[in-house]
């Protein structure tokens, strides 16, 4: 979403990052860097920002922010690239940190960078020496697309070259900027904070458990025993993401421990995010800075840079950046998680004022090269170098493009739109039916739909970490808990709108779907309390399936077991029941298949592809090639009998398809298209045969108009999905089963697209660097990795 205004009217430079007033260290860094570059460049330069939003409502940004990107909406990244290209900026400066971009390991940013046609300089705030495969691939691709990469430490330089294969000539070392403040006596500022006459220790930055402040608190009794005048100031608000999930648990734990140790009067908590001027005053009042981080893999730290830049003696744990900055007696290093060592070094410095002041001066003098004006000019120099490299690359790009075949236009997936999903959901569950797009209360709810709704909500949260779906997940779990009948170990299915049950026993298929949904909940729910309830219901309902006769109930349960085992892989009872049901399903196919009828029943009815899907899953994880072979054959046969002129023509409900008979063409239902999408993607995962991706896409495009009526089922205006295809028209009602089938298919395709993107990056690792920037090929099911723990990153401001 574009905005108006930027600094100046000259040469344009765009920064891509989060930005103040968002409370994040990188937002602060980018704000200060923009100011520094604008000051160094003067009126010749126009500086503006492309801001990343982690909340839907965004922030009240200053005019410098010209465009906002919703972190988890991939389309916004593509639009941002268009915006930058149209603006014809002279350079784009990306502030990279995995956690501020959407997608697996922040991979959504690639959608922007691959469409960008301007010089790119990337500043790295995280450089991991032992990245997982996805982190490695994403950062390596960013390196390929960047004309220069800026690091803030020598160790980052080495890691970037040795681990990620970035050429040394493209890596530039520019230190973390610091404010240019005078070297002052700490006593000058102490009266402002009520600590005059006291020795002051300081830690500042957004609070989170990885900061290790508990070890300083534990050290305080030893320090206070010898220096009762010491005040330890902990300055900074709790990190917004930590506060959103855990409230003030960490801060409250620190205050409780301080009281238990009898040092509450010596510790001052300042629970707010302070502006630069006030921060410098707090730093000015400190005699000694303490940075007790718990993890080694932190490649830069704005808080340490600022503390040293104001001339503070420092006691720190030996994370990478601290080891580099505090070398040559500019600070003291202590082991991780060692409160005794912290107390020993702090006391030694407090008892040796000559050494403390000498250390202060060494730190201050060392950091003079890091002041923001010098850093701003250094970035301008790098932008000029990057532009020259970019121009040279364009010449090669043109030559390669002229000799290469023209690539076809790639399909772009719609963004996940939960509007109709939310409309259909109330505080009981999800209503079964709709009149057009309006919920129809006459038919109430069913466990079938609630279980699939839980899958949609869990998958969406796993992809986006959109906390707005968490209450919906709780509602669905509550419904399933209420549906479970402890007397017979079965789930009821149909509930009236007045919350009375419409039956005494649910169907076998609805029971299997409940276990499918609960298994996915166990795998993907974010909180232990939700996982615990889903696990309990799953385990209680699992044994009833051993006596079921419905092949679809077996299949739904098998898929749910596989999801459950992603979290609790050692559950021998679940593995036993998986083997039992898989054998039953396999034998059902073997007993009924013939050369011209590759199916397990005499009539092909509904949710058909879920059966070979379950066989493929079990065949892979149980080491049963015979199950895989039968699953592949059955799935391919389903596709063959449901393909007409290259598009999907689903078996209709008006007669189904009986052995020896004619396939009913209508009514076609969305549930079948989804089952095929899911099964084909699983077939690709099991076999790595690329044609299954094409088949998954074919099934998915049924929703978008590649069907017998050439009419879309998905309604872009509501976010819903029409209920099916009749012989002469589309069913305009948009019930729960339809929108759930659409959303599950879309979420699967988004996962597939991400998997294929990362797979292509992995393949590209084996090829020499190519200058042409390619578009992402859309197309996989990867369980999203949690965003990297922020304690390893630089956003500690």
């Amino acid at each position: 979403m574009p905005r108006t205004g930027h600094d100046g009217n000259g040469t344009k430079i765009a920064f891509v990052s989060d930005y103040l007033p968002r409370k994040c260290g990188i937002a602060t860094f980018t704000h200060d860097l923009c100011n520094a570059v604008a000051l160094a460049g003067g009126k010749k330069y126009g500086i503006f920002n492309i801001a990343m939003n982690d909340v839907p409502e965004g922030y009240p940004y200053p005019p410098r922010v010209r465009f906002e990107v919703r972190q988890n909406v991939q389309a916004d990244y593509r639009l941002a690239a268009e915006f930058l290209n149209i603006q014809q900026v002279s350079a784009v400066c990306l502030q990279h940190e995995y956690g501020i971009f959407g997608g697996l390991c922040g991979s959504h940013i690639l959608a922007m960078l691959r469409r960008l046609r301007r010089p790119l300089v990337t500043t790295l705030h995280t450089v991991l020496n032992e990245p997982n495969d996805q982190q490695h691939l994403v950062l390596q691709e960013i390196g390929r697309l960047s004309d220069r990469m800026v690091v803030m430490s020598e160790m980052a330089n080495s890691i970037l070259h040795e681990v990620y294969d970035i050429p040394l000539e493209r890596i530039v070392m520019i230190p973390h900027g610091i404010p240019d403040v005078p070297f002052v006596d700490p006593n000058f500022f102490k009266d402002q904070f009520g600590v005059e006459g006291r020795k002051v220790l300081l830690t500042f930055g957004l609070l989170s458990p990885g900061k290790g402040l508990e070890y300083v608190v534990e050290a305080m009794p030893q320090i206070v025993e010898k220096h009762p005048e010491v005040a330890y100031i902990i300055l900074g608000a709790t990190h917004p993401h930590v506060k959103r999930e855990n409230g003030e648990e960490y801060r409250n734990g620190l205050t409780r421990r301080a009281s238990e140790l009898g040092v509450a009067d010596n510790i001052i908590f300042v629970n707010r995010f302070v502006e630069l001027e006030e921060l410098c005053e707090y730093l000015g009042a400190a005699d000694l800075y303490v940075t007790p981080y718990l993890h080694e893999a932190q490649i830069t730290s704005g808080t340490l840079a600022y503390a040293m830049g104001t001339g503070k003696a420092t006691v720190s744990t030996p994370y990478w950046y601290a080891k580099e900055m505090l070398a040559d007696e500019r600070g003291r290093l202590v082991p991780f998680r060692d409160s005794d060592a912290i107390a020993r070094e702090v006391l030694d410095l407090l008892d040796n004022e000559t050494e403390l002041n000498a250390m202060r001066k060494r730190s201050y003098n060392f950091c003079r090269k890091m002041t923001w004006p010098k850093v701003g000019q250094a970035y301008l120099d790098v932008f000029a170098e990057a532009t020259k490299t970019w121009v040279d690359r364009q010449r090669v790009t043109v030559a390669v493009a002229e000799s290469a075949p023209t690539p076809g236009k790639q399909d772009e997936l719609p963004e996940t739109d939960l509007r109709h999903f939310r409309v259909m959901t109330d505080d009981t569950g999800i209503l079964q039916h709709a009149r057009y797009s309006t919920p129809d209360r006459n038919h109430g709810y069913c466990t079938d739909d609630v279980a699939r709704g839980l899958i949609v909500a869990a998958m969406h949260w796993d992809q986006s970490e959109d906390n707005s779906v968490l209450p919906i997940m709780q509602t669905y779990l509550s419904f399933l808990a209420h549906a479970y009948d402890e007397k017979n170990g079965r789930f009821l299915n149909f509930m009236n709108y007045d919350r009375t049950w419409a039956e005494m026993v649910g169907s076998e298929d609805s029971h299997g779907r409940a276990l499918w949904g609960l298994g996915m909940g166990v795998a993907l729910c974010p909180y232990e309390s939700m996982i615990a309830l889903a696990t309990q219901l799953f385990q209680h309902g699992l044994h009833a399936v051993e006596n079921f006769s419905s092949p679809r109930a077996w299949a739904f349960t098998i898929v749910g077991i596989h999801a459950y085992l992603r979290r609790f892989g050692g559950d021998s009872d679940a593995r036993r029941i998986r083997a039992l049901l898989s054998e039953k399903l396999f034998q059902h196919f073997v007993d009924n298949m013939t050369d011209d009828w590759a199916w397990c029943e005499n009539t092909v009815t509904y949710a058909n592809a879920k059966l070979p899907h379950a066989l493929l899953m079990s065949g892979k994880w149980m080491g049963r090639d015979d199950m895989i072979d039968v699953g592949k054959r059955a799935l391919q046969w389903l596709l063959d009998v449901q393909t007409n002129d290259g598009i999907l023509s689903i078996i209709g409900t008006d007669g189904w398809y009986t052995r020896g008979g004619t396939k009913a063409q209508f009514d076609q239902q969305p549930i079948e298209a989804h089952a095929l999408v899911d099964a084909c993607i699983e077939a690709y995962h099991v076999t790595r045969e690329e044609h299954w991706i094409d088949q998954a896409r074919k099934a998915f495009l049924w929703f978008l108009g590649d069907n017998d009526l050439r009419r879309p089922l998905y309604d872009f205006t509501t976010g819903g999905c029409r209920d099916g295809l009749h012989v002469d028209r589309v069913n305009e009602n948009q019930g729960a089963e339809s929108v759930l089938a659409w959303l599950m298919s879309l979420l699967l395709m988004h996962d597939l697209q991400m998997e294929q993107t990362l797979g292509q990056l992995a393949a590209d690792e084996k090829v020499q660097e190519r200058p042409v920037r390619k578009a992402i090929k859309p197309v996989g099911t990867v369980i999203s990795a949690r965003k990297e723990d922020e304690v390893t990153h630089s956003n500690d401001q």
Side-chain angles (χ1 to χ4, degrees):
M1 52 191 82
R3 296 154 55 93
T4 59
H6 67 85
D7 296 291
N9 298 308
T11 303
K12 297 176 184 176
I13 297 174
F15 289 81
V16 178
S17 177
D18 49 9
Y19 202 79
L20 295 178
R22 179 173 168 179
K23 294 177 180 178
C24 169
I26 296 176
T28 301
F29 177 91
T30 305
H31 171 269
D32 293 343
L33 179 57
C34 286
N35 285 342
V37 172
L39 182 64
K43 294 182 179 180
K44 290 170 32 180
Y45 287 87
I47 310 299
F48 67 91
N49 181 264
I50 306 291
M52 297 290 144
N53 286 336
D54 62 337
V55 291
E57 64 274 17
Y59 297 90
Y61 291 115
R64 179 175 280 161
V65 173
R66 293 283 308 282
F67 196 98
E68 298 176 42
V69 174
R70 291 167 292 178
Q71 177 176 307
N72 295 309
V73 179
Q74 198 172 38
D76 283 8
Y77 292 84
R78 297 192 288 267
L79 292 172
E82 287 184 33
F83 182 81
L84 291 167
N85 291 333
I86 290 171
Q87 293 293 317
Q88 294 189 331
V89 295
S90 65
V92 175
C93 187
L94 172 71
Q95 303 300 311
H96 180 260
E97 158 60 64
Y98 293 107
I100 66 173
F101 305 113
L104 182 62
C105 298
S107 54
H108 279 0
I109 191 62
L110 298 179
M112 186 190 88
L113 301 185
R114 286 175 155 178
R115 290 164 172 81
L116 188 63
R117 299 191 301 275
R118 312 307 302 166
L120 175 64
V121 174
T122 298
T123 302
L124 297 176
H125 294 261
T126 294
V127 184
L128 301 172
N129 70 332
E130 294 182 353
N132 63 36
D133 290 343
Q134 290 82 11
Q135 291 165 338
H136 184 271
L137 292 170
V138 169
L139 187 55
Q140 190 170 61
E141 179 69 357
I142 292 172
R144 287 175 178 160
L145 298 172
S146 298
D147 300 290
R148 288 291 185 276
M149 300 192 84
V150 176
V151 296
M152 291 179 258
S153 68
E154 294 298 340
M155 186 171 186
N157 191 326
S158 300
I159 294 174
L160 199 58
H161 176 62
E162 295 170 7
V163 177
Y164 299 90
D165 300 319
I166 305 300
L168 288 172
E169 61 270 18
R170 297 232 307 273
I171 306 172
V172 180
M173 162 65 180
I174 300 179
H176 193 298
I178 60 171
D180 193 2
V181 297
F183 186 78
V184 298
D185 185 337
N187 293 310
F188 182 80
F189 288 106
K190 288 182 178 180
D191 62 320
Q192 294 181 218
F193 307 113
V195 289
E196 58 269 52
R198 305 180 71 177
K199 294 293 185 182
V200 176
L201 314 183
L202 175 70
T203 298
F204 79 91
L206 295 173
L207 258 66
S208 65
K211 298 300 175 67
L213 303 185
E214 58 272 27
Y215 291 95
V216 186
V217 172
E218 293 288 340
M220 285 298 290
Q222 296 180 57
I223 296 170
V224 170
E225 182 181 6
K226 192 168 186 181
H227 287 274
E229 78 283 4
V230 163
Y232 177 35
I233 298 176
I234 299 175
L235 172 64
T238 299
H239 196 289
H241 292 171
V242 174
K243 189 172 183 178
R244 197 177 302 147
E245 296 190 6
N246 300 302
E248 294 288 3
E249 180 181 341
Y250 182 59
R251 184 186 302 273
N252 292 339
L254 294 175
T255 58
R256 281 196 303 272
R257 187 56 179 155
S259 295
E260 292 168 359
L261 294 172
V263 292
D265 292 339
N266 297 87
I267 300 178
I268 301 169
F269 289 90
V270 182
N271 187 4
R272 55 193 175 86
F273 189 85
V274 298
E275 299 298 330
L276 178 61
E277 182 178 354
E278 187 178 8
L279 172 60
C280 290
E281 291 172 351
Y282 269 104
L283 283 165
D287 295 281
L288 205 154
Y289 185 71
V290 186
T291 168
Y293 297 164
L294 300 181
H295 301 279
E296 181 185 46
Q298 181 152 328
I299 206 67
T300 186
S301 167
T303 61
L304 179 58
Y306 273 41
M308 293 180 66
T310 54
K312 298 297 108 179
T314 302
V315 173
S316 174
T317 50
Y319 55 90
W320 294 335
Y321 189 66
K323 288 170 71 174
E324 197 166 304
M325 290 290 288
L326 299 180
D328 299 327
E329 299 185 327
R330 291 187 293 270
R332 300 278 182 89
L333 296 176
V334 297
F336 294 107
R337 296 176 170 83
D338 191 336
S339 55
D340 290 337
I342 292 173
R344 182 175 61 252
E345 295 300 333
V346 168
L347 287 171
D348 186 64
L349 288 170
L350 291 179
D351 290 340
N352 190 344
E353 191 167 344
T354 300
E355 172 56 22
L356 185 145
N357 287 326
M359 185 181 293
R360 290 184 56 222
K361 187 173 290 188
R362 286 192 290 268
S363 294
Y364 184 82
N365 290 336
F366 176 78
C367 292
R368 292 310 90 205
K369 61 187 178 185
M370 298 168 55
T371 59
W372 277 119
K374 294 177 181 177
V375 168
Q377 184 58 55
Y379 270 89
L380 284 178
D381 295 341
V382 169
F383 296 151
E385 294 174 10
T387 300
K388 182 178 183 303
T389 299
W390 180 78
V391 170
D392 293 340
R393 280 181 144 191
Q394 299 318 294
R395 296 192 187 103
V396 178
T397 298
V398 170
V400 172
E402 288 176 349
S403 62
T406 302
K409 183 180 183 298
Q410 299 295 340
D411 299 321
E412 289 189 353
L413 296 172
E415 294 298 329
T416 304
D417 183 349
L418 299 184
R419 283 178 298 154
H420 191 62
F421 175 71
R422 296 180 194 274
V423 165
M424 295 294 290
T425 299
D426 62 14
D427 59 358
T428 299
I430 187 166
L431 289 154
Q432 287 189 75
H433 296 292
R435 295 180 177 178
Y436 298 97
S437 61
T438 301
D440 183 353
R441 301 180 182 183
N442 289 317
H443 300 281
Y445 318 87
C446 68
T447 291
D448 281 322
D449 290 337
V450 169
R452 289 179 289 209
L454 179 59
I455 293 171
V456 166
M459 289 180 68
H460 175 68
W461 189 90
D462 187 61
Q463 287 185 7
S464 67
E465 296 194 0
D466 175 6
N467 287 336
S468 70
V469 300
L470 295 180
I472 295 175
M473 294 167 71
Q474 296 281 24
T475 296
Y476 293 161
L477 282 169
S478 176
F479 185 101
L480 294 173
H482 186 56
Y484 181 70
D485 185 346
E486 294 184 357
K487 294 178 182 177
N488 59 18
R490 294 284 296 275
F491 288 94
L492 299 172
N493 191 19
F494 294 109
M495 176 187 277
N496 299 315
Y497 184 69
D498 64 3
R499 295 188 177 182
T500 59
W501 290 105
E503 60 187 3
M504 298 302 294
V505 180
S507 68
E508 290 186 1
D509 285 6
S510 66
H511 190 98
R513 282 199 181 96
L515 293 174
W516 176 24
L518 289 166
M520 291 293 286
V522 172
L524 300 180
C525 279
Y527 298 135
E528 287 186 10
S529 56
M530 301 167 75
I531 295 168
L533 178 57
T535 300
Q536 183 184 77
L537 292 171
F538 181 87
Q539 292 174 344
H540 286 176
L542 187 57
H543 289 276
V545 188
E546 295 185 65
N547 299 314
F548 284 3
S549 59
S550 165
R552 282 162 186 78
W554 300 340
F556 295 140
T557 302
I558 289 168
V559 175
I561 290 173
H562 280 283
Y564 169 84
L565 290 174
R566 276 159 32 191
R567 187 175 293 275
F568 299 120
D571 190 325
S572 56
D573 200 36
R575 295 162 72 95
R576 178 187 63 79
I577 295 174
R578 174 183 66 180
L580 173 68
L581 299 180
S582 299
E583 194 62 52
K584 283 185 177 182
L585 183 58
F586 174 71
Q587 199 60 47
H588 209 59
F589 270 95
V590 171
D591 292 345
N592 285 277
M593 294 174 87
T594 63
D595 290 342
D596 60 352
W597 185 261
W599 197 241
C600 63
E601 300 165 311
N602 287 327
T603 300
V604 183
T605 55
Y606 65 95
N608 298 302
K610 194 57 66 180
L611 280 67
H613 180 179
L615 280 182
L616 287 162
M617 272 188 155
S618 292
K620 176 182 179 181
W621 294 107
M622 293 169 59
R624 291 284 299 273
D625 289 343
D626 53 348
M627 287 185 181
I628 293 174
D629 291 341
V630 169
K632 285 175 59 180
R633 183 186 170 202
L635 181 57
Q636 187 60 59
W637 181 82
L638 273 181
L639 289 162
D640 292 342
V641 300
Q642 295 184 104
T643 298
N644 182 20
D645 292 333
I647 64 171
L648 189 66
S649 179
I650 290 171
I651 292 170
T653 62
D654 188 16
W656 304 116
Y657 180 29
T658 300
R659 191 193 304 246
T662 302
K663 176 177 77 98
Q665 189 174 7
F666 298 99
D667 297 339
Q668 298 183 26
Q669 302 289 309
I671 184 178
E672 301 304 321
H674 161 256
L676 283 167
V677 170
D678 206 353
C680 289
I681 290 174
E682 186 60 36
Y684 168 68
H685 289 148
V686 171
T687 67
R688 290 297 161 181
E689 296 168 359
E690 292 286 334
H691 82 94
W692 293 113
I693 292 175
D694 297 331
Q695 298 297 332
R697 187 182 288 109
K698 178 173 72 177
F700 177 76
L701 291 176
W702 180 88
F703 289 99
L704 299 178
D706 281 8
N707 53 53
D708 287 329
L709 297 188
R710 303 303 196 272
R711 294 281 305 279
L713 280 292
Y714 175 52
D715 186 348
F716 282 87
T717 64
T718 66
C721 179
R722 299 172 179 92
D723 278 351
L725 296 180
H726 298 309
V727 66
D728 59 343
R729 60 187 172 84
V730 173
N731 185 334
E732 293 292 343
N733 295 327
Q734 299 178 16
E737 182 175 271
S738 302
V739 71
L740 294 170
W742 157 253
L743 287 171
M744 285 191 288
S745 300
L746 179 62
L747 290 162
L748 286 165
M749 292 302 289
H750 275 294
D751 269 344
L752 182 59
Q753 182 180 60
M754 187 56 56
E755 180 182 340
Q756 288 299 104
T757 297
L758 294 173
Q760 182 60 50
L761 298 184
D764 286 349
E765 280 195 287
K766 302 175 182 178
V767 182
Q768 288 186 347
E769 179 188 337
R770 291 186 292 263
V772 180
R773 295 180 178 178
K774 296 185 175 181
I776 293 178
K777 181 179 181 181
V779 253
T781 309
V782 176
I783 303 303
S784 295
R786 289 282 66 77
K787 289 184 175 61
E788 185 69 19
D789 186 352
E790 291 187 1
V791 299
T792 67
H793 300 159
S794 67
N795 51 339
D796 54 7
Q797 182 80 343

